[in-house]
Amino acid sequence: MTISLAAQINSVLAALILLTAFGLLVQRRIYGLLHLFAWQGLFLSISTAVVGFVAEKHHLYISSLLTLTLKVIVLPYILHVLIMRLKIHKEIETVVNVPTTMLIGIALVIFSYSLTSPIRDLSTHVTKSTIAVALATVLLGLLMMITRRHAVTQIIGFLSMENGLFFAATSATYGMPLVVELGVGLDILIAAFIFGIFFFHINTAFDTLDVEQMARLKEED
Amino acid sequence: MSVAIPYILDGLQIIILLFAAPAFAGWVKTLKCWFQGRTTAGVLQPYRDLMKLLHKDIVLAENASWIFRFTPYVVFGSVVLAGGIIPILSIDLPLSATADIIALVALFTIARFFTALAGMDIGTAFGGMGSSREKTIASMAEPAMLMAIFTVSLVCKSTSLSQMVQVLAHGEFILRPSLAFALLSFVLIALAETGRIPVDNPATHLELTMIHEGMILEYSGRHLALIEWAGMMKLFLFATLGIAAFFPWGIAAANDFPALFIAALSLIIKLFIAGVSLVVIETGLAKMRLFRVPEFLGSAFLFATLGMLSYFMLE
Amino acid sequence: MTILTLLGVSFIGALILAFVGDRKFAPEINIVCSFATFVASIVLALRVYHDGPFVAGREFFFIDAFSVYLVVLTAFVSMTTTIFSKPYMRREREHGRVGHWGMRFYHAMFQLFIFAMFLCLLTNNVGVLWIAMELATLATVLLVSLYKTPTAIEAAWKYFILCGVGIALALFGTVLLYFAAEKVLGEGGEALLWTNLSQVSGQLEPTVLRLAFVFLMVGYGTKVGLVPLHNWLPDAHSEGPTPISAVLSGLLLNIALYALVRCKVLVDGSLGTHLAGNIMMGFGLLSILVASFSMLRQKDIKRMFAYSSIEHMGIATFAFGLGGPIATFGALLHMLVHSLTKSSIFFTVGHASQMHDTQEMSKIRGLIRGNPLVGWGLMLGVMAIVGMPPFGVFTSEFLILTATMKDAPLMTPFLLLGLGVAFAALLRRVQPMVSGHIPSWQHPLKASHVPVILHMVLILVIGLYMPDFLSRWFHMAVELLK
């Protein structure tokens, strides 16, 4: 595979990751969100493997496998079990309406593009053009967390942020050292268990997973 | 003689447009019937419908103004002129240097503008409703369409359609995510502009659900024939526009007979496939509530903008 | 070897307590583990004091005066907190606020949290620093919601989400740091080692480091509790069990600040300008002002002291941002005395709220009459924390004010304003709480004497007479933070 073909494939995958990030932003049905998140993880792991193949960094294959297991299989499965146990059926309403959210998302993409221009100028990697997409995914995950009212969708936004961070690591550098990646993966797994426990606590205490209901701790006058 | 060839080709394109458009519409209707398990009326039915309408009398309302009588001709004329700009068979068209996609969009806008006026002209409630809905959709669809086509023109460094086809068909093949996004956006916009499901149901008889049909509810006779024909041609043109912008392989660059023959053959095959995909989309989706249409068009705009951004970011 | 003891004892302690945490002897195991880690930390400190900074474990660990001082502090405060936690949690258990699974979880997570904090301080790898910080956050998230009331769950959720987001941004900053480091140091694990980074900091690309610092500031700054990223702090520190509030306020904030300062040193070396310092000063000043004014409106006692933590962390951040030997000395001293004072205050507050079954300040009265240790402990602690001489906080704040007047005179009025408002807010509330007659709803309580007395004595000693070894230790740390 020549460098430019790999760069093109990587660009296509980056575009797909960005597309899934936007899709997560506007999707209303909870299983739709779950599937989009799984697809995002899949594109991410394929991209890591492609970069590993082109740059001949074999530890990226391990990272790719790790991403695949964790983000495409384990985490969606945990979320699926939680959704079934918590009997979440309804559509999720957003705080801000959908077209406005999309416009803010586009603004964030442009912002992240301008913010990462120094890195693009300095980078010699084949993946330098995708760092803007990585930061955009992080910011879109953040936007998703802000504009959603349901606890599960906030967590999916958080996980999508982590996806963006991982993508940033493979775009700017050829992946962080393996010990760091394993540690990050472990942290995410622990976080997954914790938020699983959390959902049950929230559901028991509030009888809903709508986080707008959790507004008792405020400044008193 | 060679000077006149572009004009002859253009004339040929317009003739093909005039007489193949009802066939394409008929093909789409036939496929829909097959998918839905009904008996078809045949691919040639639209021709019969048009002939029937041309022979009928016009029934005009008493308070119809000149706009009402003028509109069918304007609509028909602008769509035919648009057919002269889009490279259906060949890129060697006389107007290719001056008439680009902006002119194309403007031509469609003229048609839509006059139709909307005509809908309000008589003063019926359904006409006004159709006009206002159509204008709402247009206000969101037009920027998105321009954005989508601009993405293609960024890649090809020109807004002229002939130039675009030239670069895409005969340049080197690169996987471009920007074009993929632009294609996705264009498909959504085309569905909105031509009034297909999931935006508008062309076969509806319930006036409250009409958008395009509502505006032409009062037309009869040859006026209605011209407008219906223009509608079929618009569908045909959007299909060929999509083919020219995103799948331009086969369009003739040279003017000799073999190239034109190949162009015609590839056009037929691509329209065949376009018809199938259109019917798959229409059968698979349900018509959206009117209040969801802004979201639909917003996502089309989003894809188009993403395409443009990914051109800058990734290429 | 000592390092392995430090880490190993707390980790194994966590594992053991996961199984036996609800038995009667669990608090004793907790105390023993913490005592062992404290002894190990003293040994480590002595070694650094005599021999200077060193690396260990194939460059995985790095200890210098800055980190070892925090290691000793962490070990000490966690030891006293475990002593305090024994009667406190027993009473909570008796009143049914925590079940037996909760107790196991509490003890195990406590030791795991200590482990994560030590890992944070001892590691040489900037990436592992991040991992340990995240681990520390995750260990405490469910502890904040231990009582499972709606407000506790809400506080823990806010803590989880806000700190999670902040930490994710800090990871992006770390990635950028690695990107810049890779160019100079080559790929692989070496590029993330702090020892290598500090040596080549002048060669790291300024534009990238500037961007990295912004992300790191936002990320680790959220964990320090700097305004405007502080929303989780008052809730998290007030809703969890008091021992957890004490270690969160006293220790975790310090460690987040440590991470921030380490990054600042790198960025200063690369940029050469005072940008990082100015940003820190800005955030610090904002935190001081917002926190002190917010303290005027509080009704819950732990929330008020949580805002006080924000304010003091703001002072420390401001001082680190100011730079220069006096301010840095002051900042290091401030981290120490704030940690000791705040945890002592939380010990007394915990007992006070147990005595009255509420955390609302309007319902707590007559502490000195009811339980002199708690009453006087709270009074003296508050006097210490607002900066009255002869306590240690006065010394550090005085040093910082002096440095401000010398290097950034225009900031002095704001600093004084913040300190003054905090002074008024705290004394206004605490005075009615400690004085007056015993209300009818107060229960008698056998308080835990040792931690409070130990802390207050230390603060007094540091204020009156700074031991020679301590000032030399700080001077060594200041040298490293140039």
mmCIF file with all atom_site columns, all heavy atoms in Angstrom, chain A residues 8 11 15 18-19 22 28 102 106 113 129, chain B residues 174-175 177 181 299 302-303 306 312-313:
data_model
loop_
_atom_site.group_PDB
_atom_site.id
_atom_site.type_symbol
_atom_site.label_atom_id
_atom_site.label_alt_id
_atom_site.label_comp_id
_atom_site.label_asym_id
_atom_site.label_entity_id
_atom_site.label_seq_id
_atom_site.pdbx_PDB_ins_code
_atom_site.Cartn_x
_atom_site.Cartn_y
_atom_site.Cartn_z
_atom_site.occupancy
_atom_site.B_iso_or_equiv
_atom_site.pdbx_formal_charge
_atom_site.auth_seq_id
_atom_site.auth_comp_id
_atom_site.auth_asym_id
_atom_site.auth_atom_id
_atom_site.pdbx_PDB_model_num
ATOM 1   N N   . GLN A 1 8   ? -5.262  8.395  1.867  1.00 0.00 ? 8   GLN A N   1
ATOM 2   C CA  . GLN A 1 8   ? -6.641  8.588  1.415  1.00 0.00 ? 8   GLN A CA  1
ATOM 3   C C   . GLN A 1 8   ? -7.604  7.748  2.228  1.00 0.00 ? 8   GLN A C   1
ATOM 4   O O   . GLN A 1 8   ? -8.672  8.215  2.639  1.00 0.00 ? 8   GLN A O   1
ATOM 5   C CB  . GLN A 1 8   ? -6.777  8.192  -0.049 1.00 0.00 ? 8   GLN A CB  1
ATOM 6   C CG  . GLN A 1 8   ? -6.201  9.194  -1.005 1.00 0.00 ? 8   GLN A CG  1
ATOM 7   C CD  . GLN A 1 8   ? -6.235  8.642  -2.393 1.00 0.00 ? 8   GLN A CD  1
ATOM 8   O OE1 . GLN A 1 8   ? -7.197  7.993  -2.780 1.00 0.00 ? 8   GLN A OE1 1
ATOM 9   N NE2 . GLN A 1 8   ? -5.198  8.885  -3.139 1.00 0.00 ? 8   GLN A NE2 1
ATOM 10  N N   . SER A 1 11  ? -8.065  9.290  5.449  1.00 0.00 ? 11  SER A N   1
ATOM 11  C CA  . SER A 1 11  ? -8.937  10.460 5.362  1.00 0.00 ? 11  SER A CA  1
ATOM 12  C C   . SER A 1 11  ? -10.398 10.046 5.303  1.00 0.00 ? 11  SER A C   1
ATOM 13  O O   . SER A 1 11  ? -11.251 10.650 5.947  1.00 0.00 ? 11  SER A O   1
ATOM 14  C CB  . SER A 1 11  ? -8.611  11.288 4.126  1.00 0.00 ? 11  SER A CB  1
ATOM 15  O OG  . SER A 1 11  ? -7.310  11.740 4.174  1.00 0.00 ? 11  SER A OG  1
ATOM 16  N N   . ALA A 1 15  ? -13.231 10.998 7.961  1.00 0.00 ? 15  ALA A N   1
ATOM 17  C CA  . ALA A 1 15  ? -14.512 11.608 7.613  1.00 0.00 ? 15  ALA A CA  1
ATOM 18  C C   . ALA A 1 15  ? -15.668 10.800 8.193  1.00 0.00 ? 15  ALA A C   1
ATOM 19  O O   . ALA A 1 15  ? -16.649 11.349 8.689  1.00 0.00 ? 15  ALA A O   1
ATOM 20  C CB  . ALA A 1 15  ? -14.642 11.708 6.095  1.00 0.00 ? 15  ALA A CB  1
ATOM 21  N N   . LEU A 1 18  ? -15.954 11.493 11.859 1.00 0.00 ? 18  LEU A N   1
ATOM 22  C CA  . LEU A 1 18  ? -16.613 12.782 12.067 1.00 0.00 ? 18  LEU A CA  1
ATOM 23  C C   . LEU A 1 18  ? -18.114 12.661 11.834 1.00 0.00 ? 18  LEU A C   1
ATOM 24  O O   . LEU A 1 18  ? -18.931 13.217 12.563 1.00 0.00 ? 18  LEU A O   1
ATOM 25  C CB  . LEU A 1 18  ? -16.009 13.812 11.109 1.00 0.00 ? 18  LEU A CB  1
ATOM 26  C CG  . LEU A 1 18  ? -16.361 15.266 11.386 1.00 0.00 ? 18  LEU A CG  1
ATOM 27  C CD1 . LEU A 1 18  ? -15.871 15.655 12.753 1.00 0.00 ? 18  LEU A CD1 1
ATOM 28  C CD2 . LEU A 1 18  ? -15.732 16.147 10.326 1.00 0.00 ? 18  LEU A CD2 1
ATOM 29  N N   . LEU A 1 19  ? -18.472 11.902 10.800 1.00 0.00 ? 19  LEU A N   1
ATOM 30  C CA  . LEU A 1 19  ? -19.884 11.702 10.500 1.00 0.00 ? 19  LEU A CA  1
ATOM 31  C C   . LEU A 1 19  ? -20.596 11.031 11.663 1.00 0.00 ? 19  LEU A C   1
ATOM 32  O O   . LEU A 1 19  ? -21.688 11.434 12.064 1.00 0.00 ? 19  LEU A O   1
ATOM 33  C CB  . LEU A 1 19  ? -20.000 10.839 9.241  1.00 0.00 ? 19  LEU A CB  1
ATOM 34  C CG  . LEU A 1 19  ? -21.375 10.746 8.619  1.00 0.00 ? 19  LEU A CG  1
ATOM 35  C CD1 . LEU A 1 19  ? -21.837 12.108 8.204  1.00 0.00 ? 19  LEU A CD1 1
ATOM 36  C CD2 . LEU A 1 19  ? -21.332 9.821  7.424  1.00 0.00 ? 19  LEU A CD2 1
ATOM 37  N N   . PHE A 1 22  ? -21.206 13.486 14.446 1.00 0.00 ? 22  PHE A N   1
ATOM 38  C CA  . PHE A 1 22  ? -22.389 14.300 14.212 1.00 0.00 ? 22  PHE A CA  1
ATOM 39  C C   . PHE A 1 22  ? -23.660 13.481 14.369 1.00 0.00 ? 22  PHE A C   1
ATOM 40  O O   . PHE A 1 22  ? -24.669 13.966 14.880 1.00 0.00 ? 22  PHE A O   1
ATOM 41  C CB  . PHE A 1 22  ? -22.351 14.913 12.812 1.00 0.00 ? 22  PHE A CB  1
ATOM 42  C CG  . PHE A 1 22  ? -21.696 16.255 12.782 1.00 0.00 ? 22  PHE A CG  1
ATOM 43  C CD1 . PHE A 1 22  ? -20.431 16.400 12.274 1.00 0.00 ? 22  PHE A CD1 1
ATOM 44  C CD2 . PHE A 1 22  ? -22.347 17.358 13.274 1.00 0.00 ? 22  PHE A CD2 1
ATOM 45  C CE1 . PHE A 1 22  ? -19.825 17.638 12.261 1.00 0.00 ? 22  PHE A CE1 1
ATOM 46  C CE2 . PHE A 1 22  ? -21.751 18.596 13.261 1.00 0.00 ? 22  PHE A CE2 1
ATOM 47  C CZ  . PHE A 1 22  ? -20.483 18.737 12.754 1.00 0.00 ? 22  PHE A CZ  1
ATOM 48  N N   . ARG A 1 28  ? -31.853 10.433 17.995 1.00 0.00 ? 28  ARG A N   1
ATOM 49  C CA  . ARG A 1 28  ? -32.763 10.475 19.126 1.00 0.00 ? 28  ARG A CA  1
ATOM 50  C C   . ARG A 1 28  ? -32.962 9.121  19.779 1.00 0.00 ? 28  ARG A C   1
ATOM 51  O O   . ARG A 1 28  ? -33.156 9.027  20.960 1.00 0.00 ? 28  ARG A O   1
ATOM 52  C CB  . ARG A 1 28  ? -34.120 10.966 18.670 1.00 0.00 ? 28  ARG A CB  1
ATOM 53  C CG  . ARG A 1 28  ? -34.187 12.449 18.504 1.00 0.00 ? 28  ARG A CG  1
ATOM 54  C CD  . ARG A 1 28  ? -35.576 12.909 18.811 1.00 0.00 ? 28  ARG A CD  1
ATOM 55  N NE  . ARG A 1 28  ? -35.651 14.349 18.826 1.00 0.00 ? 28  ARG A NE  1
ATOM 56  C CZ  . ARG A 1 28  ? -35.860 15.099 17.779 1.00 0.00 ? 28  ARG A CZ  1
ATOM 57  N NH1 . ARG A 1 28  ? -36.019 14.534 16.612 1.00 0.00 ? 28  ARG A NH1 1
ATOM 58  N NH2 . ARG A 1 28  ? -35.905 16.401 17.879 1.00 0.00 ? 28  ARG A NH2 1
ATOM 59  N N   . MET A 1 102 ? -26.559 21.247 15.281 1.00 0.00 ? 102 MET A N   1
ATOM 60  C CA  . MET A 1 102 ? -25.707 20.948 14.134 1.00 0.00 ? 102 MET A CA  1
ATOM 61  C C   . MET A 1 102 ? -24.863 22.143 13.753 1.00 0.00 ? 102 MET A C   1
ATOM 62  O O   . MET A 1 102 ? -23.678 22.011 13.422 1.00 0.00 ? 102 MET A O   1
ATOM 63  C CB  . MET A 1 102 ? -26.566 20.510 12.955 1.00 0.00 ? 102 MET A CB  1
ATOM 64  C CG  . MET A 1 102 ? -27.164 19.139 13.148 1.00 0.00 ? 102 MET A CG  1
ATOM 65  S SD  . MET A 1 102 ? -27.657 18.393 11.620 1.00 0.00 ? 102 MET A SD  1
ATOM 66  C CE  . MET A 1 102 ? -29.345 18.906 11.521 1.00 0.00 ? 102 MET A CE  1
ATOM 67  N N   . ILE A 1 106 ? -20.820 22.424 13.601 1.00 0.00 ? 106 ILE A N   1
ATOM 68  C CA  . ILE A 1 106 ? -19.992 22.856 12.468 1.00 0.00 ? 106 ILE A CA  1
ATOM 69  C C   . ILE A 1 106 ? -19.007 23.926 12.925 1.00 0.00 ? 106 ILE A C   1
ATOM 70  O O   . ILE A 1 106 ? -17.830 23.918 12.544 1.00 0.00 ? 106 ILE A O   1
ATOM 71  C CB  . ILE A 1 106 ? -20.880 23.382 11.323 1.00 0.00 ? 106 ILE A CB  1
ATOM 72  C CG1 . ILE A 1 106 ? -21.680 22.244 10.738 1.00 0.00 ? 106 ILE A CG1 1
ATOM 73  C CG2 . ILE A 1 106 ? -20.051 24.048 10.258 1.00 0.00 ? 106 ILE A CG2 1
ATOM 74  C CD1 . ILE A 1 106 ? -22.602 22.651 9.643  1.00 0.00 ? 106 ILE A CD1 1
ATOM 75  N N   . TYR A 1 113 ? -10.226 23.005 13.603 1.00 0.00 ? 113 TYR A N   1
ATOM 76  C CA  . TYR A 1 113 ? -9.313  23.052 12.465 1.00 0.00 ? 113 TYR A CA  1
ATOM 77  C C   . TYR A 1 113 ? -8.302  24.185 12.639 1.00 0.00 ? 113 TYR A C   1
ATOM 78  O O   . TYR A 1 113 ? -7.099  24.012 12.438 1.00 0.00 ? 113 TYR A O   1
ATOM 79  C CB  . TYR A 1 113 ? -10.113 23.248 11.186 1.00 0.00 ? 113 TYR A CB  1
ATOM 80  C CG  . TYR A 1 113 ? -9.262  23.392 9.958  1.00 0.00 ? 113 TYR A CG  1
ATOM 81  C CD1 . TYR A 1 113 ? -8.585  22.300 9.433  1.00 0.00 ? 113 TYR A CD1 1
ATOM 82  C CD2 . TYR A 1 113 ? -9.114  24.616 9.325  1.00 0.00 ? 113 TYR A CD2 1
ATOM 83  C CE1 . TYR A 1 113 ? -7.807  22.429 8.324  1.00 0.00 ? 113 TYR A CE1 1
ATOM 84  C CE2 . TYR A 1 113 ? -8.336  24.740 8.204  1.00 0.00 ? 113 TYR A CE2 1
ATOM 85  C CZ  . TYR A 1 113 ? -7.684  23.648 7.710  1.00 0.00 ? 113 TYR A CZ  1
ATOM 86  O OH  . TYR A 1 113 ? -6.900  23.771 6.594  1.00 0.00 ? 113 TYR A OH  1
ATOM 87  N N   . SER A 1 129 ? -3.200  15.264 8.610  1.00 0.00 ? 129 SER A N   1
ATOM 88  C CA  . SER A 1 129 ? -4.423  16.014 8.319  1.00 0.00 ? 129 SER A CA  1
ATOM 89  C C   . SER A 1 129 ? -5.575  15.606 9.213  1.00 0.00 ? 129 SER A C   1
ATOM 90  O O   . SER A 1 129 ? -6.571  16.304 9.291  1.00 0.00 ? 129 SER A O   1
ATOM 91  C CB  . SER A 1 129 ? -4.799  15.823 6.863  1.00 0.00 ? 129 SER A CB  1
ATOM 92  O OG  . SER A 1 129 ? -4.804  14.446 6.576  1.00 0.00 ? 129 SER A OG  1
ATOM 93  N N   . ILE B 2 174 ? -9.102  9.644  -7.109 1.00 0.00 ? 174 ILE B N   1
ATOM 94  C CA  . ILE B 2 174 ? -8.683  9.709  -5.706 1.00 0.00 ? 174 ILE B CA  1
ATOM 95  C C   . ILE B 2 174 ? -9.925  9.534  -4.848 1.00 0.00 ? 174 ILE B C   1
ATOM 96  O O   . ILE B 2 174 ? -10.972 10.108 -5.161 1.00 0.00 ? 174 ILE B O   1
ATOM 97  C CB  . ILE B 2 174 ? -8.052  11.083 -5.395 1.00 0.00 ? 174 ILE B CB  1
ATOM 98  C CG1 . ILE B 2 174 ? -6.900  11.369 -6.327 1.00 0.00 ? 174 ILE B CG1 1
ATOM 99  C CG2 . ILE B 2 174 ? -7.574  11.131 -3.968 1.00 0.00 ? 174 ILE B CG2 1
ATOM 100 C CD1 . ILE B 2 174 ? -6.277  12.711 -6.091 1.00 0.00 ? 174 ILE B CD1 1
ATOM 101 N N   . LEU B 2 175 ? -9.785  8.784  -3.771 1.00 0.00 ? 175 LEU B N   1
ATOM 102 C CA  . LEU B 2 175 ? -10.905 8.650  -2.841 1.00 0.00 ? 175 LEU B CA  1
ATOM 103 C C   . LEU B 2 175 ? -11.066 9.964  -2.086 1.00 0.00 ? 175 LEU B C   1
ATOM 104 O O   . LEU B 2 175 ? -10.190 10.341 -1.328 1.00 0.00 ? 175 LEU B O   1
ATOM 105 C CB  . LEU B 2 175 ? -10.605 7.556  -1.810 1.00 0.00 ? 175 LEU B CB  1
ATOM 106 C CG  . LEU B 2 175 ? -10.832 6.116  -2.200 1.00 0.00 ? 175 LEU B CG  1
ATOM 107 C CD1 . LEU B 2 175 ? -10.304 5.230  -1.097 1.00 0.00 ? 175 LEU B CD1 1
ATOM 108 C CD2 . LEU B 2 175 ? -12.288 5.843  -2.416 1.00 0.00 ? 175 LEU B CD2 1
ATOM 109 N N   . PRO B 2 177 ? -13.251 11.976 0.592  1.00 0.00 ? 177 PRO B N   1
ATOM 110 C CA  . PRO B 2 177 ? -14.396 12.029 1.506  1.00 0.00 ? 177 PRO B CA  1
ATOM 111 C C   . PRO B 2 177 ? -15.285 13.238 1.267  1.00 0.00 ? 177 PRO B C   1
ATOM 112 O O   . PRO B 2 177 ? -16.485 13.179 1.520  1.00 0.00 ? 177 PRO B O   1
ATOM 113 C CB  . PRO B 2 177 ? -13.752 12.084 2.885  1.00 0.00 ? 177 PRO B CB  1
ATOM 114 C CG  . PRO B 2 177 ? -12.325 12.329 2.676  1.00 0.00 ? 177 PRO B CG  1
ATOM 115 C CD  . PRO B 2 177 ? -11.977 11.956 1.304  1.00 0.00 ? 177 PRO B CD  1
ATOM 116 N N   . PHE B 2 181 ? -19.389 13.073 1.056  1.00 0.00 ? 181 PHE B N   1
ATOM 117 C CA  . PHE B 2 181 ? -20.331 13.897 1.808  1.00 0.00 ? 181 PHE B CA  1
ATOM 118 C C   . PHE B 2 181 ? -21.217 14.697 0.885  1.00 0.00 ? 181 PHE B C   1
ATOM 119 O O   . PHE B 2 181 ? -22.419 14.834 1.107  1.00 0.00 ? 181 PHE B O   1
ATOM 120 C CB  . PHE B 2 181 ? -19.568 14.873 2.716  1.00 0.00 ? 181 PHE B CB  1
ATOM 121 C CG  . PHE B 2 181 ? -19.099 14.270 3.985  1.00 0.00 ? 181 PHE B CG  1
ATOM 122 C CD1 . PHE B 2 181 ? -17.784 14.413 4.375  1.00 0.00 ? 181 PHE B CD1 1
ATOM 123 C CD2 . PHE B 2 181 ? -19.960 13.585 4.807  1.00 0.00 ? 181 PHE B CD2 1
ATOM 124 C CE1 . PHE B 2 181 ? -17.341 13.876 5.560  1.00 0.00 ? 181 PHE B CE1 1
ATOM 125 C CE2 . PHE B 2 181 ? -19.528 13.040 5.988  1.00 0.00 ? 181 PHE B CE2 1
ATOM 126 C CZ  . PHE B 2 181 ? -18.212 13.185 6.362  1.00 0.00 ? 181 PHE B CZ  1
ATOM 127 N N   . SER B 2 299 ? -29.697 18.498 8.075  1.00 0.00 ? 299 SER B N   1
ATOM 128 C CA  . SER B 2 299 ? -28.637 17.491 7.987  1.00 0.00 ? 299 SER B CA  1
ATOM 129 C C   . SER B 2 299 ? -28.035 17.452 6.592  1.00 0.00 ? 299 SER B C   1
ATOM 130 O O   . SER B 2 299 ? -26.843 17.208 6.449  1.00 0.00 ? 299 SER B O   1
ATOM 131 C CB  . SER B 2 299 ? -29.116 16.114 8.410  1.00 0.00 ? 299 SER B CB  1
ATOM 132 O OG  . SER B 2 299 ? -30.415 15.877 8.013  1.00 0.00 ? 299 SER B OG  1
ATOM 133 N N   . LEU B 2 302 ? -25.657 20.129 6.676  1.00 0.00 ? 302 LEU B N   1
ATOM 134 C CA  . LEU B 2 302 ? -24.540 19.679 7.495  1.00 0.00 ? 302 LEU B CA  1
ATOM 135 C C   . LEU B 2 302 ? -23.575 18.828 6.698  1.00 0.00 ? 302 LEU B C   1
ATOM 136 O O   . LEU B 2 302 ? -22.363 19.040 6.723  1.00 0.00 ? 302 LEU B O   1
ATOM 137 C CB  . LEU B 2 302 ? -25.097 18.861 8.660  1.00 0.00 ? 302 LEU B CB  1
ATOM 138 C CG  . LEU B 2 302 ? -24.063 18.231 9.545  1.00 0.00 ? 302 LEU B CG  1
ATOM 139 C CD1 . LEU B 2 302 ? -23.422 19.278 10.369 1.00 0.00 ? 302 LEU B CD1 1
ATOM 140 C CD2 . LEU B 2 302 ? -24.693 17.190 10.428 1.00 0.00 ? 302 LEU B CD2 1
ATOM 141 N N   . PHE B 2 303 ? -24.123 17.854 5.950  1.00 0.00 ? 303 PHE B N   1
ATOM 142 C CA  . PHE B 2 303 ? -23.245 16.993 5.161  1.00 0.00 ? 303 PHE B CA  1
ATOM 143 C C   . PHE B 2 303 ? -22.482 17.795 4.128  1.00 0.00 ? 303 PHE B C   1
ATOM 144 O O   . PHE B 2 303 ? -21.291 17.576 3.894  1.00 0.00 ? 303 PHE B O   1
ATOM 145 C CB  . PHE B 2 303 ? -24.037 15.894 4.458  1.00 0.00 ? 303 PHE B CB  1
ATOM 146 C CG  . PHE B 2 303 ? -24.631 14.902 5.399  1.00 0.00 ? 303 PHE B CG  1
ATOM 147 C CD1 . PHE B 2 303 ? -25.921 14.434 5.213  1.00 0.00 ? 303 PHE B CD1 1
ATOM 148 C CD2 . PHE B 2 303 ? -23.910 14.426 6.464  1.00 0.00 ? 303 PHE B CD2 1
ATOM 149 C CE1 . PHE B 2 303 ? -26.474 13.525 6.075  1.00 0.00 ? 303 PHE B CE1 1
ATOM 150 C CE2 . PHE B 2 303 ? -24.462 13.507 7.332  1.00 0.00 ? 303 PHE B CE2 1
ATOM 151 C CZ  . PHE B 2 303 ? -25.749 13.062 7.136  1.00 0.00 ? 303 PHE B CZ  1
ATOM 152 N N   . LEU B 2 306 ? -19.813 19.662 5.878  1.00 0.00 ? 306 LEU B N   1
ATOM 153 C CA  . LEU B 2 306 ? -18.764 18.720 6.256  1.00 0.00 ? 306 LEU B CA  1
ATOM 154 C C   . LEU B 2 306 ? -17.900 18.354 5.062  1.00 0.00 ? 306 LEU B C   1
ATOM 155 O O   . LEU B 2 306 ? -16.680 18.220 5.176  1.00 0.00 ? 306 LEU B O   1
ATOM 156 C CB  . LEU B 2 306 ? -19.368 17.441 6.827  1.00 0.00 ? 306 LEU B CB  1
ATOM 157 C CG  . LEU B 2 306 ? -19.727 17.471 8.296  1.00 0.00 ? 306 LEU B CG  1
ATOM 158 C CD1 . LEU B 2 306 ? -20.283 16.123 8.699  1.00 0.00 ? 306 LEU B CD1 1
ATOM 159 C CD2 . LEU B 2 306 ? -18.514 17.776 9.129  1.00 0.00 ? 306 LEU B CD2 1
ATOM 160 N N   . PHE B 2 312 ? -10.964 20.951 2.968  1.00 0.00 ? 312 PHE B N   1
ATOM 161 C CA  . PHE B 2 312 ? -9.866  21.761 3.495  1.00 0.00 ? 312 PHE B CA  1
ATOM 162 C C   . PHE B 2 312 ? -9.052  21.010 4.521  1.00 0.00 ? 312 PHE B C   1
ATOM 163 O O   . PHE B 2 312 ? -7.837  21.146 4.585  1.00 0.00 ? 312 PHE B O   1
ATOM 164 C CB  . PHE B 2 312 ? -10.431 23.040 4.135  1.00 0.00 ? 312 PHE B CB  1
ATOM 165 C CG  . PHE B 2 312 ? -10.930 24.013 3.135  1.00 0.00 ? 312 PHE B CG  1
ATOM 166 C CD1 . PHE B 2 312 ? -12.271 24.296 3.040  1.00 0.00 ? 312 PHE B CD1 1
ATOM 167 C CD2 . PHE B 2 312 ? -10.061 24.630 2.265  1.00 0.00 ? 312 PHE B CD2 1
ATOM 168 C CE1 . PHE B 2 312 ? -12.735 25.188 2.104  1.00 0.00 ? 312 PHE B CE1 1
ATOM 169 C CE2 . PHE B 2 312 ? -10.514 25.523 1.327  1.00 0.00 ? 312 PHE B CE2 1
ATOM 170 C CZ  . PHE B 2 312 ? -11.856 25.800 1.237  1.00 0.00 ? 312 PHE B CZ  1
ATOM 171 N N   . MET B 2 313 ? -9.730  20.222 5.337  1.00 0.00 ? 313 MET B N   1
ATOM 172 C CA  . MET B 2 313 ? -9.023  19.601 6.444  1.00 0.00 ? 313 MET B CA  1
ATOM 173 C C   . MET B 2 313 ? -8.240  18.381 6.022  1.00 0.00 ? 313 MET B C   1
ATOM 174 O O   . MET B 2 313 ? -7.160  18.132 6.511  1.00 0.00 ? 313 MET B O   1
ATOM 175 C CB  . MET B 2 313 ? -10.018 19.203 7.538  1.00 0.00 ? 313 MET B CB  1
ATOM 176 C CG  . MET B 2 313 ? -10.665 20.413 8.137  1.00 0.00 ? 313 MET B CG  1
ATOM 177 S SD  . MET B 2 313 ? -11.396 20.123 9.741  1.00 0.00 ? 313 MET B SD  1
ATOM 178 C CE  . MET B 2 313 ? -12.151 18.594 9.570  1.00 0.00 ? 313 MET B CE  1
#
